[in-house]
Amino acid sequence: MSTENEGNAVPPAPSAPPVPVETPAASAQGASHPGGAPTAPIPAVPGTPGAPQHESAPAGMPAYASNGAGQGADPYGQAPTQGSAPEAGWPPPPPATPSYADGGGSGDGGGWGSSYQQPAPKPRNKRGGLIAAVLVAALVAGGVGGGIGYSLAKNDDSSTDSTTVSAPSSSGEVKRASGTVANVAANALPSTVTIEAQSTNGEGGTGTGFVFDKQGHILTNNHVVADAVDGGKLTATFPSGKKYDAEVVGHAQGYDVAVIKLKNAPSDLKPLVLGDSDKVAVGDSTIAIGAPFGLSNTVTTGIISAKNRPVASSDGSASSKSSYMSALQTDASINPGNSGGPLLDASGAVIGINSAIQSSSSGGLGGSGQSGSIGLGFAIPINQAKHVAQQLIQTGKPVYAKIGASVSLEEGTGGAKITEQGASGASAVESGGPAAKAGLKPGDVITKLDDMVIDSGPTLIGAIWTHKPGDTVKLTYTRDGKTHTVDVTLGSREGDS
């Protein structure tokens, strides 16, 4: 599946045009469609070759995703070329027509197993125009309604037949129980920030992050801060209005995780409590905090809809590398700008980092490629993100687990099939690597990792990356129609290159 970057900051809405009522509609039509923001819709997992981060996802696919050529992927650093063999450097995004956990074929709803097309380049920094128009239309409608309401009230001022009932006044404050959404939000909001990233050429967007420790480290998505990595500008603004310059400490494109640090961080920072994403159950309540379309400090609610969803995401640019995750799926409303924000449980503990959304076939707001929430949001489990963040703080570089074999991204292989050839003619099974030591060969089809069903190459990559180098996993694979099981001790690869 694929995904799309979050939104840009919303420019101030122009003053409402005078009545007549047609004005709002005209204003809305004239507004430019949003684009170029950092959260992402998500692509489906592989199908036919040709599928893969700064272009928006096309209609029908998740936001923060990409398309690109390639049929094979190496879960440790080798990506496929146009053919079945992976290219050196990175597992590519899944080809067009990816399939997901259900292994289904194409569909019309843009859901799991549906096909998608190469996204068209999207203009950046225009999302604000649509939002401004929407806000103006709302304000004009409100103004008209208010005028009518005042007129009716004035005309009826002499009436003695009023049936209005007022609640008794109370001098005490309203108290909300600890388990309410309002209480959780009140506790978590002061520790979330709206991040603005800008590259040296002025491009950028808006995302979200949250306080990771008292030293001033903020946890967010890689694609939120990517524009500011090489000499760009980065700021973080708290709900209180306090704004701080920040710098990137480390970023992991494969995991889509980044850590930034506030300059001159205040001494009273309150890190959010981290939960245990392994213990999350389908149906658990969720609370998402972020800056959808630049509207900072927005709180939405939902539930955990599914676990271990295979998600491959990218911004769509030719030079970007894909991110792979075994995601938490939630129906909490998540939109561009929510990326990097916390997904909380009912107690207020962080269980994930909101990272991607599935776009609707209609293209979301404005009827084009920019997606809006359709109840399919995806978050990086916090157990994985926490480990990656700690690595980045300590060394500045990510470390990825690997099995040392290139796998196909084609659909219909019944699992993750080891390709016949690796990148640039190299062996598909790394000599002396974990897979070779376990006796795996080209043509073997991996169908399970421990108890998790593996239905595709990207699913295997995402599952492997939930582990640490040195972990031992049990792989089930088929060869010549027979099923075999073997223990594999995972190797490691440092950095995104």
Side-chain angles (χ1 to χ4, degrees), residues 293-321:
F293 296 102
L295 301 176
S296 300
N297 315 317
T298 295
V299 178
T300 57
T301 63
I303 62 169
I304 292 293
S305 304
K307 298 177 62 177
N308 301 318
R309 286 297 195 197
V311 174
S313 60
S314 172
D315 69 3
S317 64
S319 61
S320 73
K321 299 169 183 173

Side-chain angles (χ1 to χ4, degrees), residues 48 60 201 222 295 323 353 405:
T48 59
N201 63 8
N222 171 74
L295 301 176
S323 302
I353 301 177

Side-chain angles (χ1 to χ4, degrees), residues 1-6 39-46 51-53 55-67 93-95 97-100 109-117 119 221 223 256 309-316 322-330 334 336 339 353-361 369-372 374-380 458:
M1 23 184 355
S2 67
T3 52
E4 214 172 88
N5 288 349
E6 304 280 6
T39 299
I42 308 162
V45 185
Q53 202 165 5
E55 293 177 4
S56 60
M61 72 188 271
Y64 183 54
S66 69
N67 299 325
T97 323
S99 70
Y100 288 103
W112 299 106
S114 66
S115 63
Y116 61 93
Q117 301 177 349
N221 283 143
H223 73 264
D256 196 18
R309 286 297 195 197
V311 174
S313 60
S314 172
D315 69 3
S322 295
S323 302
Y324 292 85
M325 68 182 93
S326 187
L328 297 175
Q329 180 183 330
T330 180
I334 295 174
S339 277
I353 301 177
N354 301 317
S355 182
I357 55 175
Q358 175 73 40
S359 66
S360 65
S361 58
Q370 179 60 53
S371 66
I374 58 171
L376 291 173
F378 304 92
I380 303 167

Side-chain angles (χ1 to χ4, degrees), residues 77-479:
Q78 290 189 338
T81 62
Q82 294 276 349
S84 61
E87 286 183 285
W90 199 262
T97 323
S99 70
Y100 288 103
D102 62 1
S106 63
D108 297 329
W112 299 106
S114 66
S115 63
Y116 61 93
Q117 301 177 349
Q118 175 73 25
K122 173 183 290 186
R124 304 177 64 90
N125 297 325
K126 292 186 179 181
R127 176 171 294 119
L130 175 61
I131 299 303
V134 172
L135 292 177
V136 168
L139 288 172
V140 171
V144 173
I148 295 174
Y150 171 76
S151 176
L152 292 176
K154 181 178 180 181
N155 293 339
D156 196 43
D157 190 50
S158 60
S159 173
T160 58
D161 299 329
S162 174
T163 57
T164 301
V165 178
S166 299
S169 61
S170 174
S171 58
E173 294 184 2
V174 176
K175 295 183 179 180
R176 294 176 174 85
S178 59
T180 63
V181 173
N183 184 270
V184 170
N187 289 329
L189 276 168
S191 297
T192 62
V193 296
T194 297
I195 297 173
E196 294 180 32
Q198 189 176 68
S199 65
T200 53
N201 63 8
E203 292 186 340
T206 301
T208 309
F210 59 93
V211 178
F212 185 68
D213 60 27
K214 293 184 178 181
Q215 286 68 51
H217 291 109
I218 303 294
L219 189 53
T220 185
N221 283 143
N222 171 74
H223 73 264
V224 169
V225 303
D227 284 322
V229 167
D230 297 320
K233 182 180 180 181
L234 198 63
T235 62
T237 305
F238 286 84
S240 64
K242 292 183 178 179
K243 188 173 186 177
Y244 298 86
D245 289 331
E247 59 185 353
V248 178
V249 172
H251 61 107
Q253 192 161 6
Y255 294 122
D256 196 18
V257 171
V259 175
I260 66 174
K261 188 174 183 180
L262 305 178
K263 297 179 180 180
N264 302 315
S267 59
D268 59 348
L269 290 174
K270 295 181 179 179
L272 290 182
V273 175
L274 304 184
D276 185 348
S277 52
D278 290 341
K279 295 182 179 179
V280 170
V282 173
D284 281 350
S285 297
T286 57
I287 301 169
I289 299 179
F293 296 102
L295 301 176
S296 300
N297 315 317
T298 295
V299 178
T300 57
T301 63
I303 62 169
I304 292 293
S305 304
K307 298 177 62 177
N308 301 318
R309 286 297 195 197
V311 174
S313 60
S314 172
D315 69 3
S317 64
S319 61
S320 73
K321 299 169 183 173
S322 295
S323 302
Y324 292 85
M325 68 182 93
S326 187
L328 297 175
Q329 180 183 330
T330 180
D331 66 347
S333 182
I334 295 174
N335 289 283
N338 276 104
S339 277
L343 184 67
L344 310 170
D345 63 15
S347 71
V350 181
I351 55 175
I353 301 177
N354 301 317
S355 182
I357 55 175
Q358 175 73 40
S359 66
S360 65
S361 58
S362 64
L365 292 175
S368 66
Q370 179 60 53
S371 66
S373 175
I374 58 171
L376 291 173
F378 304 92
I380 303 167
I382 195 59
N383 288 7
Q384 177 182 11
K386 175 184 177 181
H387 172 67
V388 176
Q390 291 170 337
Q391 283 182 338
L392 295 176
I393 292 172
Q394 292 171 4
T395 69
K397 295 182 179 180
V399 176
Y400 299 90
K402 70 173 187 176
I403 63 171
S406 298
V407 294
S408 172
L409 296 180
E410 290 183 354
E411 186 179 359
T413 57
K417 184 178 181 179
I418 299 179
T419 58
E420 296 297 329
Q421 193 174 57
S424 303
S427 174
V429 179
E430 177 187 322
S431 178
K437 291 179 180 179
L440 292 171
K441 299 178 179 181
D444 290 346
V445 179
I446 299 170
T447 57
K448 291 182 72 175
L449 187 152
D450 293 329
D451 294 327
M452 181 178 179
V453 174
I454 302 298
D455 62 357
S456 67
T459 302
L460 176 64
I461 297 170
I464 289 173
W465 284 358
T466 64
H467 291 273
K468 305 178 183 66
D471 286 354
T472 297
V473 298
K474 187 181 296 295
L475 293 181
T476 301
Y477 66 95
T478 60
R479 179 190 297 170

